[in-house]
Amino acid sequence: MLKNYLKISYRTLWKNKVFSAINIVGLAIAMSACLLILHYVNFELSYDNFRKPTVYRIADYAYLNGEMVGKRAQTPPALAPAFQREIPEVIEAARLVHTAPLMSDPVMQVGDRSFHEDKVYYADAEFLDMFSFNLVHGNRDLALTQPSNVVISREMAEKYFPGQDGYGEELMFYMGEWGNTQLKVSGVFENIPENSHVHTDFIISFNSIPWNLDENWDWGNFYNYVELAPQSDLAVVEGKFLEVLEKYLGESLAEWRKAGYTSTLNLQPIQDIHLDSHLEAEAAPNGSRKMVWFLTLIAIFILVIAWINYVNLTAAKYVERAKEIGIRKVVGSSKRQLIAQFMTDSFMVNGLAAISAIMLSQLLMPFFQTLTKVEFSPTPSSGMSIGVGALFLTGTLLSGLYPAFVMSSFQPLQMIRGHLKNPSQGVPIRKVLTIFQFAASIALIAGTLGVSRQLGFMQEQDKGLNMERTLIVKGPGIKDSTYQQHLVFFKNEVNKLPQIQKVSVSSNIPGKELSWARQFYQPAQPENGKGINIIAIDEDFFKLYGADFLAGRNFSPKVTSDRGNLIINETAARQLGFENAEDATQNTVIWHESDEDTYAKMIIGVIRDFNQESLHKEVGPMVFALKEYLNAPWAGEYYSVKISSGDYPTALSLIEARWEQAFPNSPFEYFFLDDYFNSQYLSEQKFARIFSLFAGLAIFIACIGLFGLSSYMTLQRTKEIGIRKVLGASIVSIVAILSKDFFVLIASASVIILPVIYVVMKNWLQNYAYQMEIQWWLLGLPILLVWFVALLTVSLQTIKTALENPVNALRAE
């Protein structure tokens, strides 16, 4: 019996080649697009799955008078050891800290090979085991127990020790103002997979840091991780955090509470960090679970649209098989057997489409990986395979059942007599499905326009600084006592170049998250202290970037007192309690370095707020001080060079030549600021590319179905078209009459989907501090585009038929 079903299905497909091709091609494109999206979604959901599920990061949520004022991924270094001592459920704890809070611009050197390295961390010995590092050389339990030990990635071993494994070798580690030290390679680990929330190339033993940090509760720039005993109750463990803090910080906590400050420590499963944690000081840019679900929804939309095409085309096409079905019923075929035949047709079409989709998705995988900038495995996980298989079977079953039940329900006599040209059964359902197609198309176009417009809105906004033609050179990592003289020489020599307008040195640059902050307050208001970020600069910083002063003046090398003075932005002035910018200038604030160290500082100027980071965030308070006179070896160092001409290669080569003269042992590394600043929007850019591509595919698939359905409907009304033409109807009026039904469906879809689009778009924009306005054209243009596509698709076949000889149309059956 199955063989007979398959034979009939094959003959039916072959007889109706065009409609079969439309169904198979549409389904194949939809399935391959769905597979590609699910590969990416599966990758995003897989972050840190190769690590222990019982490892958690401790995050700090801060409140002022009950209102949240900060959520930070970094916490003090005393937490991990204290929790391991005091909380039985904590079976292991480790700290991790990047070099940024400790030193500026570290450099690794072996022989004549020296490079700035960004992925350098210090970590406790337990970190390697907690994070399931795979050491190809060395002992994981012992590798970080001794000072000056370092474990490196296989990639770095090949980079610094080509042709060797690197194990047991030595690296010279230059730590900026801290000087240098020799590190011994005590282990080599496999390169960390991309789906990790933290990426490290060098991990130095934590006890190499020259301070005892086990009792330090003030320095909040460390990542603290704990591993809990299996089956531990997270709420119970988090409840014990406060008990530990009371034990070690009782008096300080009481003072903070009097001032209205409270905080809670929360356990974050490391597997949730990439998609769900959007805190200050994340170890790496995170993804977004909302984007993952949006892409999953697009994948489902694409498949559903393709299956709707199949249902509509199949149900319409089955009218031609009415006599065949009627005869089958007369000779004894049961309803169950007819349904089985129709389901075989469905499985054959979907099966051929699935095979084509697998081959097509593998063919397109390199392109898709380039588009997403993610190297994920083309082999699906077992969970993904099961999910895709279940989705395929469900869709095939549902898309086949509807036409099967509709056609098997007619009376045999009706079918044999051919009274099913326009059967009423199923028409309302087909209209509902078509309305869904149009609604989904409108939503996808609106989503594409919305994402692109918000991204453009953020990039077009005035940031408050002039970042054009600005080259950034990383400060020298190899320094000695003569560094300041070399810096002056470099600035003077570069400033002499005709291609250069100005050079400035700062601890931070626009686009880089600020990590250096201290408490500031007015002398008479210590209870109103505010945590304010600090940027160390020179006298040329504001001139180079074109910052506007609201009040006061810039630093001057001729005014000796400026060495200890400050400039603040208008947000800092407001938070410190000054009514306006003029009130802040020539007033004193207290720089609270620690309980033992406070410094009175004069404010000499207030600058207009500028966006230090992307427009995801509001402008925060900032304090600026002269870098040369600050003892802050942890502060970063960047040289900003404003280029006056468009001949960048010449300017770059001249700058590099001056660098070699001033800092002959330090690597010369550079980038352009506008590219660096806009890299903060890479996540949105990638999402916009993926969204646009697959939204376009979904609309294309809908057009395939619309073309097939309109072709069939036009074929059914060929005689009507001939009569109308003989009676004098124009081609335009014929197209209008035949298009009317589709336009009614589009109007219905628009009424249903527009409120949904508006609400979803409004909710999505809440993720941004600076939001575009939802203008009328963002909602109206998608409808017009869908109307245009539908008109074009329906018109092609209608015009072709209307242009034929009406005599041929009148003879049509």
Side-chain angles (χ1 to χ4, degrees), residues 539-608:
E539 295 88 350
D540 297 315
F541 182 84
F542 294 124
K543 299 174 188 175
L544 184 144
Y545 283 106
D548 294 331
F549 274 81
L550 298 178
R553 60 176 177 85
N554 192 10
F555 293 117
S556 171
K558 298 178 181 179
V559 181
T560 306
S561 60
D562 278 359
R563 298 176 180 181
N565 291 338
L566 302 176
I567 294 173
I568 63 176
N569 70 343
E570 55 184 307
T571 295
R574 186 168 57 252
Q575 291 194 8
L576 288 170
F578 298 107
E579 290 188 6
N580 52 57
E582 288 76 13
D583 287 346
T585 55
Q586 301 305 311
N587 269 302
T588 299
V589 292
I590 303 300
W591 179 324
H592 185 101
E593 182 70 21
S594 67
D595 290 339
E596 293 77 28
D597 297 309
T598 57
Y599 308 97
K601 301 285 185 177
M602 177 73 72
I603 299 172
I604 63 169
V606 178
I607 62 163
R608 188 183 305 278

Side-chain angles (χ1 to χ4, degrees), residues 452-635:
S452 300
R453 183 67 199 103
Q454 174 62 18
L455 179 59
F457 172 81
M458 292 190 295
Q459 293 179 323
E460 294 163 6
Q461 291 302 296
D462 180 11
K463 316 286 189 306
L465 296 178
N466 180 6
M467 303 183 197
E468 295 180 354
R469 305 189 318 278
T470 304
L471 179 76
I472 304 297
V473 181
K474 281 191 173 183
I478 302 174
K479 299 178 181 178
D480 56 23
S481 58
T482 63
Y483 162 68
Q484 197 61 40
Q485 288 83 358
H486 289 285
L487 171 58
V488 172
F489 168 79
F490 176 75
K491 284 188 64 177
N492 290 338
E493 290 299 307
V494 174
N495 275 322
K496 292 177 184 177
L497 297 174
Q499 296 88 350
I500 305 304
Q501 288 183 352
K502 196 168 288 295
V503 181
S504 175
V505 182
S506 60
S507 64
N508 210 297
I509 53 173
K512 185 172 178 60
E513 185 177 14
L514 300 174
S515 59
W516 179 18
R518 292 293 185 269
Q519 286 280 318
F520 289 84
Y521 53 84
Q522 293 193 51
Q525 303 173 12
E527 70 281 0
N528 292 330
K530 303 292 182 183
I532 299 180
N533 289 305
I534 302 166
I535 301 179
I537 62 174
D538 64 10
E539 295 88 350
D540 297 315
F541 182 84
F542 294 124
K543 299 174 188 175
L544 184 144
Y545 283 106
D548 294 331
F549 274 81
L550 298 178
R553 60 176 177 85
N554 192 10
F555 293 117
S556 171
K558 298 178 181 179
V559 181
T560 306
S561 60
D562 278 359
R563 298 176 180 181
N565 291 338
L566 302 176
I567 294 173
I568 63 176
N569 70 343
E570 55 184 307
T571 295
R574 186 168 57 252
Q575 291 194 8
L576 288 170
F578 298 107
E579 290 188 6
N580 52 57
E582 288 76 13
D583 287 346
T585 55
Q586 301 305 311
N587 269 302
T588 299
V589 292
I590 303 300
W591 179 324
H592 185 101
E593 182 70 21
S594 67
D595 290 339
E596 293 77 28
D597 297 309
T598 57
Y599 308 97
K601 301 285 185 177
M602 177 73 72
I603 299 172
I604 63 169
V606 178
I607 62 163
R608 188 183 305 278
D609 280 345
F610 63 84
N611 292 99
Q612 168 64 27
E613 297 181 57
S614 74
L615 273 70
H616 291 91
K617 303 178 181 179
E618 295 181 350
V619 175
M622 288 180 276
V623 159
F624 301 86
L626 284 174
K627 188 177 189 303
E628 182 180 351
Y629 305 103
L630 290 175
N631 181 22
W634 56 83

Side-chain angles (χ1 to χ4, degrees), residues 110 112-113 154-166:
V110 174
D112 60 352
R113 290 183 296 279
R154 187 192 286 271
E155 181 183 356
M156 292 300 106
E158 294 170 356
K159 178 178 178 180
Y160 286 92
F161 308 101
Q164 308 174 54
D165 57 33

